[in-house]
Amino acid sequence: MSQSPLIDHLLELRRRLLWSVVVVLAIFAGFAVFADELYRYVAAPMLASLPQGSTLIATDVATPFFTPFKLALVVSIAVAVPMLLWQVWGFIAPGLYQREKRLVVPLMVSSSLLFYAGVAFAYWVVLPLALNFLANSAPEGVTVATDIARYLDFVLAIFMAFGIAFETPVAIILLCWTGVTSVKSLRAKRPYVIVGAFVVGMILTPPDVISQTLLAIPMWLLFELGLVIASLYQREPRDADAEHE
């Protein structure tokens, strides 16, 4: 009998995982039809940066077929993020206090929006500037011919880097809420955070100053936003004691 709650939790987890997989596959079935159009849309910044007459190339026989479908699958997962987070919320909600439930829902919504905002910022601002810089930095006599699969991996890495970086306010709120740190402590560490943002930008972006700066500055601004919001949600010790009582 003591194992019954554990089995119930595992069955609930399996149900939610299966539902999440079904949702992703259903969305993928719709996007797969437009896989080539999706890739052309993602490749537009690169094509605009290439010299006149240059195009993307495929160095493997199966690459032209599989690469657009890989993109369609990644887009399907990204579109399904709100539903996936809702499944996570449904699984953990029974173990949360009422005050925590009121905090988690706005965090889940804002984390999805911030991730999408980071991807949009990377596509509309960072990629055109970074790709134009990289394409024009080729030595004289060198023709830029980028493989479509490698370009997709590059773009997805940029999207992931900016999507995660834009989650900074959510991370700040959670750190302060759980008591790992405090708003006052983070404000005292602001100079180190700014330096760290540029280090992260250097690691996660291509080796050019433009994209590094375009990642570091939003991270710093989002850090400041996270401090403001965390100061509103930071619970007092009396509130925590009341909840446990």
Side-chain angles (χ1 to χ4, degrees), residues 200-223:
V200 172
M202 179 180 63
I203 295 174
L204 297 182
T205 59
D208 65 279
V209 178
I210 296 176
S211 56
Q212 293 170 8
T213 304
L214 288 176
L215 178 60
I217 292 179
M219 284 187 65
W220 169 47
L221 296 177
L222 290 168
F223 168 78

Side-chain angles (χ1 to χ4, degrees), residues 31 46 57 60 77 86 95 101 113 125 128 147-148 155 176 187-188 213 229 236:
F31 278 119
M46 185 68 201
I57 63 173
D60 190 24
I77 296 174
W86 182 257
K101 291 180 180 180
L113 295 177
V125 179
D147 178 69
I148 60 173
V155 169
C176 295
R187 283 173 178 164
T213 304
I229 300 176
E236 300 296 335

Side-chain angles (χ1 to χ4, degrees), residues 32-229:
V33 180
F34 306 99
D36 291 341
E37 288 77 4
L38 282 174
Y39 190 88
R40 282 198 294 269
Y41 186 78
V42 171
M46 185 68 201
L47 294 174
S49 302
L50 291 174
Q52 188 174 3
S54 298
T55 61
L56 295 172
I57 63 173
T59 58
D60 190 24
V61 176
T63 297
F65 176 79
F66 286 110
T67 300
F69 286 107
K70 176 182 177 180
L71 174 61
L73 178 60
V74 173
V75 172
S76 300
I77 296 174
V79 171
V81 163
M83 177 61 69
L84 300 180
L85 289 177
W86 182 257
Q87 294 300 319
V88 173
W89 159 249
F91 182 73
I92 66 174
L96 298 177
Y97 294 107
Q98 188 62 36
R99 180 181 174 89
E100 292 171 337
K101 291 180 180 180
R102 291 197 300 267
L103 175 66
V104 168
V105 173
L107 284 180
M108 292 178 62
V109 174
S110 60
S111 62
S112 300
L113 295 177
L114 286 170
F115 183 83
Y116 293 145
V119 172
F121 182 79
Y123 180 82
W124 293 107
V125 179
V126 178
L127 278 182
L129 295 175
L131 293 174
N132 187 64
F133 172 83
L134 294 174
N136 292 327
S137 63
E140 185 177 355
V142 175
T143 301
V144 178
T146 304
D147 178 69
I148 60 173
R150 291 185 177 272
Y151 171 73
L152 179 60
D153 292 339
F154 171 83
V155 169
L156 292 180
I158 292 293
F159 287 169
M160 185 62 64
F162 276 83
I164 294 176
F166 271 57
E167 300 289 343
T168 301
V170 176
I172 297 298
I173 294 170
L174 290 176
L175 288 174
C176 295
W177 174 257
T178 56
V180 174
T181 185
S182 64
V183 175
K184 182 179 179 180
S185 177
L186 289 174
R187 283 173 178 164
K189 296 181 176 65
R190 182 180 283 112
Y192 302 101
V193 172
I194 296 174
V195 173
F198 279 91
V199 172
V200 172
M202 179 180 63
I203 295 174
L204 297 182
T205 59
D208 65 279
V209 178
I210 296 176
S211 56
Q212 293 170 8
T213 304
L214 288 176
L215 178 60
I217 292 179
M219 284 187 65
W220 169 47
L221 296 177
L222 290 168
F223 168 78
E224 300 293 342
L225 176 62
L227 291 181
V228 173
I229 300 176

Side-chain angles (χ1 to χ4, degrees), residues 15-36:
R15 185 182 71 82
R16 293 189 178 278
L17 287 175
L18 289 175
W19 178 248
S20 300
V21 171
V22 169
V23 169
V24 172
L25 291 179
I27 298 175
F28 173 72
F31 278 119
V33 180
F34 306 99
D36 291 341

